[in-house]
Amino acid sequence: MKALFDVLAPEEPDFALASAIDPDRLPAHIAIIMDGNGRWAKRRNLPRVAGHKAGIDPVRITVETCARLGLRALTLYAFSVENWKRPRGEVDMLWRLLRLYLRAELPDMSRNDIRFNAIGRIEALPDFVRGELEETVRATAANRGLELNLAINYGGRAELVDAVKALIEDSRRRDIVIDEEAIASRLYTAGTPDPDLLIRTSGEMRVSNFLLWQIAYSELYVTDTLWPDFSRTDLLRAILDYQKRHRRFGGWGDAAPIESDVALLEVIPTR
Ligand code: FPP
């Protein structure tokens, strides 16, 4: 986290927020559903694509902040398998923005030791987008800092279908045990810890087919802020909120055990 303080002046409000974060309890992996670009543009009487363009800066800020915090992974939902239903012009513009972003950010990714990865059905993307993605993956492959996963043409159900297909394929060649590990190791995110924190912007209370397997025990944080307005302050607030949560993973966590469960059962009225 020290690297974050290198860019924060003590009089900035983010300095106080960052100081309140416990460096020993940072989420290892944050996933974000970046939503609200269209509404941001509509409120300004601008075309939707202006909202997407304005969504690039928060991507930069979020990536840089997560890298400076020393997080292990950040996964951003940029384009879902369902997003092909949007008008052709909007989809084409998204591809152009993505190429611009990747070209402009590669030097910063290298400087900040960020390893870029694209998750989703990448093979179905237009050649020029796929080429740019592959080039960025290749150029950052040796980096060992933040793992930045961009989910593009991604669907949680599609990912599970692909994992099951791979499992069946492998089982034809050798005996395999079918357990949770067998599925998890065939997901696009194999090798990355599940997200500790899932953030969604623009107030919608949905998971929208994002990382369905991986978010089983993620803490959810929904903010009304529209993605183009999402700032470093919003990210730090989300992390602070996460640190207040009591994660139990279906068990008791560190809750004090009840002294006498049997005695308690006797005093609970039964019908
Ligand atoms: C959701 O807002 C956003 C998207 C489908 C695209 C995400 C794209 C960006 C954040 C910009 C570019 C990103 C990169 C990585 C270069 P929406 O259009 O569904 O908004 P609405 O719900 O208000 O209509």
Side-chain angles (χ1 to χ4, degrees), residues 38-255:
R39 274 161 285 170
W40 184 93
K42 192 166 179 217
R43 282 179 197 174
R44 288 163 179 75
N45 283 320
L46 293 169
R48 291 178 57 83
V49 291
H52 296 316
K53 191 162 177 245
I56 290 186
D57 251 359
V59 170
R60 279 197 194 107
I61 292 164
T62 303
V63 171
E64 186 193 332
T65 307
C66 289
R68 287 184 178 277
L69 280 164
L71 304 195
R72 173 149 170 203
L74 170 69
T75 302
L76 301 175
Y77 202 5
F79 191 88
S80 75
V81 287
E82 289 82 17
N83 285 153
W84 292 104
K85 294 176 198 154
R86 296 185 178 208
R88 176 85 194 265
E90 181 175 340
V91 173
D92 284 349
M93 182 57 106
L94 278 168
W95 300 145
R96 290 221 287 276
L97 282 176
L98 178 58
R99 180 167 62 176
L100 272 176
Y101 168 78
L102 293 173
R103 286 192 177 168
E105 291 310 298
L106 184 55
D108 267 3
M109 285 187 206
S110 304
R111 205 173 22 254
N112 293 320
D113 204 21
I114 293 168
R115 184 156 49 92
F116 177 83
N117 191 27
I119 60 168
R121 289 185 170 163
I122 307 305
E123 65 284 357
L125 297 175
D127 285 351
F128 79 93
V129 185
R130 212 181 54 234
E132 203 67 44
L133 289 168
E134 286 168 357
E135 173 56 22
T136 314
V137 170
R138 196 197 52 72
T140 62
N143 294 347
R144 286 292 166 260
L146 179 77
E147 172 189 321
L148 169 60
N149 300 307
L150 208 52
I152 305 160
N153 197 22
Y154 174 89
R157 289 181 175 180
E159 179 180 31
L160 284 166
V161 168
D162 291 348
V164 171
K165 278 185 184 163
L167 196 57
I168 292 171
E169 198 57 40
D170 291 347
S171 71
R172 288 201 177 111
R173 284 193 293 268
R174 60 190 166 93
D175 282 347
I176 47 175
V177 180
I178 302 203
D179 56 8
E180 291 192 7
E181 175 53 25
I183 305 263
S185 63
R186 287 167 178 85
L187 297 174
Y188 308 144
T189 54
T192 306
D194 289 341
D196 301 293
L197 172 61
L198 171 65
I199 299 173
R200 180 165 190 150
T201 59
S202 93
E204 306 289 353
M205 301 286 186
R206 288 190 286 275
V207 294
S208 299
N209 202 10
F210 188 42
L211 301 176
L212 295 181
W213 176 280
Q214 299 90 331
I215 61 168
Y217 284 104
S218 302
E219 295 296 325
L220 308 186
Y221 180 88
V222 177
T223 169
D224 285 335
T225 303
L226 304 177
W227 179 252
D229 292 327
F230 191 80
S231 62
R232 186 174 59 196
T233 310
D234 292 304
L235 178 64
L236 297 178
R237 282 199 183 123
I239 294 173
L240 277 170
D241 194 85
Y242 162 83
Q243 292 194 330
K244 286 192 215 128
R245 310 281 179 93
H246 179 217
R247 302 185 78 192
R248 290 189 296 276
F249 299 96
W252 279 9
D254 52 7

